Amino acid sequence: HEEIFNRINDYKDLCDAIGADYKNCVKPCQEHTKNIRNVKQKMNKGNLDFEQEEYKSTDGLITNQTNIALATTNADCILLIFFDPVKKVIANVHSGWKGTLQRISVETVKKMQADYGSEPKDIICCICPSIRKCHFKVHADVQEPYYNEFKDLKGIDEIIAKVPDEERWSIDTVEINKIILKEAGLKAENIIDSNICSVCNSDLIHSFRVEKEGYGLSTAIIELK
């Protein structure tokens, strides 16, 4: 009960800061899938505990309804905020390394097109602080599926680069998302990157790789007024 109480207070503080009502928050459970759900109405009664059932196996939310605040959390993973100012549609997406590998960002654009009539050229995508290539170093079990999935991308040997004198590779998952979003039809100028590494700035932003056990979570929230 104390954990839920603290979480409610955290969301209340965040929402107060942006002029939103924390009781309007909707959050997926985030299980590193490529699943995205439409949100038609608020179901939260103020305890922020509903997401475990209602949005199980979900890593992205989309709505065209006003006064519904879409929330996601991260501690190194990429969070992507989408806004179509023409059709008045928003999305909030959690794209960890597994989500990026499954191209959840592109799946979001496709769903905005199919379900809300969005045109990719109108969609704005903001990339929140996350782990960057400077610190996202992986072994072959991650490098191999990444290379196989994205080997046709221009500059892939720079995006997935061998770490000197190590059996590890650095992967620029942010750059991958930028490229595949542009391939999906987004304008380069509409892809807005915070350019902030969560590991380099762990004094300001939560990072699992720095904090380890007991790590905290950063939160991204977007709402249509």
Side-chain angles (χ1 to χ4, degrees):
H1 292 294
E2 182 180 352
E3 181 182 349
I4 293 174
F5 178 77
N6 290 336
R7 182 166 53 162
I8 290 171
N9 279 340
D10 288 343
Y11 274 86
K12 187 176 185 304
D13 289 344
L14 287 170
C15 289
D16 285 349
I18 61 171
D21 186 340
Y22 79 98
K23 293 180 181 178
N24 292 343
C25 277
V26 181
K27 184 190 174 300
C29 62
Q30 298 181 203
E31 296 180 15
H32 298 276
T33 69
K34 65 174 182 178
N35 300 329
I36 305 151
R37 292 275 304 275
N38 293 322
V39 180
K40 299 297 184 183
Q41 60 184 354
K42 293 176 288 185
M43 286 167 282
N44 180 20
K45 303 302 182 184
N47 60 14
L48 287 171
D49 205 32
F50 68 92
E51 73 264 23
Q52 297 304 317
E53 284 303 320
E54 188 61 34
Y55 296 107
K56 185 181 291 184
S57 297
T58 303
D59 284 83
L61 300 173
I62 305 175
T63 193
N64 62 353
Q65 303 296 306
T66 58
N67 299 314
I68 293 179
L70 306 181
T72 53
T73 56
N74 72 335
D76 284 330
C77 293
I78 300 171
L79 301 182
L80 302 166
I81 303 293
F82 294 85
F83 175 46
D84 176 356
V86 177
K87 297 294 186 180
K88 298 292 190 291
V89 181
I90 57 173
N92 196 340
V93 175
H94 165 252
S95 183
W97 73 263
K98 292 180 181 179
T100 296
L101 186 61
Q102 297 173 86
R103 301 179 184 241
I104 191 174
S105 59
V106 175
E107 293 298 318
T108 305
V109 173
K110 290 178 179 177
K111 194 166 182 64
M112 291 174 73
Q113 285 180 273
D115 296 354
Y116 298 94
S118 292
E119 293 287 346
K121 65 181 177 61
D122 297 324
I123 297 173
I124 298 166
C125 177
C126 297
I127 305 174
C128 298
S130 64
I131 193 169
R132 303 291 161 135
K133 185 183 178 184
C134 53
H135 283 97
F136 188 52
K137 296 178 173 63
V138 302
H139 292 95
D141 61 327
V142 175
Q143 181 269 340
E144 288 178 0
Y146 255 84
Y147 190 82
N148 290 336
E149 177 65 27
F150 299 112
K151 60 181 178 291
D152 294 332
L153 298 187
K154 184 178 180 181
I156 190 60
D157 291 326
E158 183 177 341
I159 293 168
I160 302 176
K162 184 76 163 54
V163 178
D165 303 319
E166 290 188 40
E167 283 305 310
R168 294 196 300 168
W169 288 259
S170 295
I171 302 182
D172 193 340
T173 53
V174 172
E175 183 62 21
I176 288 173
N177 274 290
K178 289 179 181 179
I179 293 172
I180 62 177
L181 282 170
K182 284 186 281 188
E183 290 180 347
L186 271 69
K187 296 178 179 178
E189 60 266 31
N190 284 346
I191 301 173
I192 303 166
D193 186 7
S194 65
N195 291 309
I196 296 173
C197 175
S198 53
V199 178
C200 292
N201 296 277
S202 60
D203 57 327
L204 300 172
I205 300 160
H206 289 298
S207 168
F208 171 76
R209 282 163 180 77
V210 175
E211 297 172 36
K212 306 297 184 184
E213 186 178 349
Y215 67 96
L217 292 170
S218 301
T219 304
I221 297 174
I222 183 171
E223 181 185 64
L224 284 172
K225 291 294 188 182

